[in-house]
């Protein structure tokens, strides 16, 4: 349960730093982190030995690093975007395709801001490489160990990527 609790506390700290950076006051950071910490479900999940808090931390880190990189220029932008995609890769390793949720959020934001060309910029292409280099070794090792046919059979049997209940 320690990784879940540690991830939850790190998430609160990241949200504190993000709120402080956006609004410029320590009070706003404390309010942001405090609201997250006081939400019942977040506190409850932090006490369980599940990967949900770790995924939540990687999503927060990915979005926070994107935010930091979005306002930067030069090498710092490469660094922050790279860290954002590295966090996404760790999210994919933690919980599968759900780790790509920040990419969907970032893409929607960039399309809304009419800056969708950033999705094909050098910084993002490097980020795509970082994401693949982060997640692909485990996938290849799994396929090597289990085999392609057995892997496909496992996915079909467990219905991992299918939803049995209605969307609502």
């Amino acid at each position: 349960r320690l990784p879940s609790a540690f991830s939850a506390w790190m998430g609160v700290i990241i949200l504190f730093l993000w709120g402080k950076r956006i609004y410029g006051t320590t009070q706003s950071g404390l309010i942001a982190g405090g609201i997250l910490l006081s939400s019942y479900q977040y506190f409850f999940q932090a006490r369980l030995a599940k990967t949900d808090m770790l995924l939540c931390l990687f999503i927060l880190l990915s979005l926070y690093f994107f935010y930091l990189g979005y306002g930067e220029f030069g090498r710092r932008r490469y660094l922050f975007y790279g860290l954002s995609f590295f966090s996404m890769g760790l999210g994919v390793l933690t919980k599968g395709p759900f780790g790509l949720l920040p990419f969907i959020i970032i893409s929607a934001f960039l399309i809304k801001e009419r800056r969708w060309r950033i999705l094909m910029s050098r910084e993002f292409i490097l980020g795509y490489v970082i994401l693949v280099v982060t997640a692909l070794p485990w996938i290849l090792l799994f396929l090597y160990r289990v085999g392609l046919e057995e892997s496909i059979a496992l996915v079909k049997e467990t219905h991992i990527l299918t939803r049995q209940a209605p969307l609502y």
Side-chain angles (χ1 to χ4, degrees), residues 4-62:
S4 292
F6 179 73
S7 297
W9 278 109
M10 289 302 298
V12 170
I13 291 169
I14 294 298
L15 208 54
F16 163 77
L17 294 171
W18 200 351
K20 184 179 174 184
R21 186 167 182 96
I22 289 175
Y23 296 107
T25 65
T26 304
Q27 181 182 5
S28 58
L30 287 172
I31 290 171
I35 288 173
L36 179 63
L37 186 60
S38 68
S39 69
Y40 174 74
Q41 193 64 26
Y42 189 81
F43 180 72
F44 180 75
Q45 290 292 328
R47 298 176 60 215
L48 300 176
K50 296 170 99 177
T51 58
D52 294 343
M53 278 295 105
L54 195 57
L55 176 66
C56 185
L57 173 64
F58 291 138
I59 288 173
L60 271 172
L61 279 172
S62 181

Side-chain angles (χ1 to χ4, degrees), residues 105-135:
I105 295 168
I106 290 167
S107 298
F109 170 76
L110 291 173
I111 291 169
K112 178 202 158 286
E113 292 292 314
R114 300 179 196 263
R115 302 207 49 209
W116 57 271
R117 292 179 191 212
I118 293 177
L119 292 170
M120 297 308 294
S121 67
R122 288 183 191 167
E123 298 95 342
F124 263 56
I125 291 173
L126 178 64
Y128 300 143
V129 170
I130 291 171
L131 174 64
V132 168
V133 167
T134 304

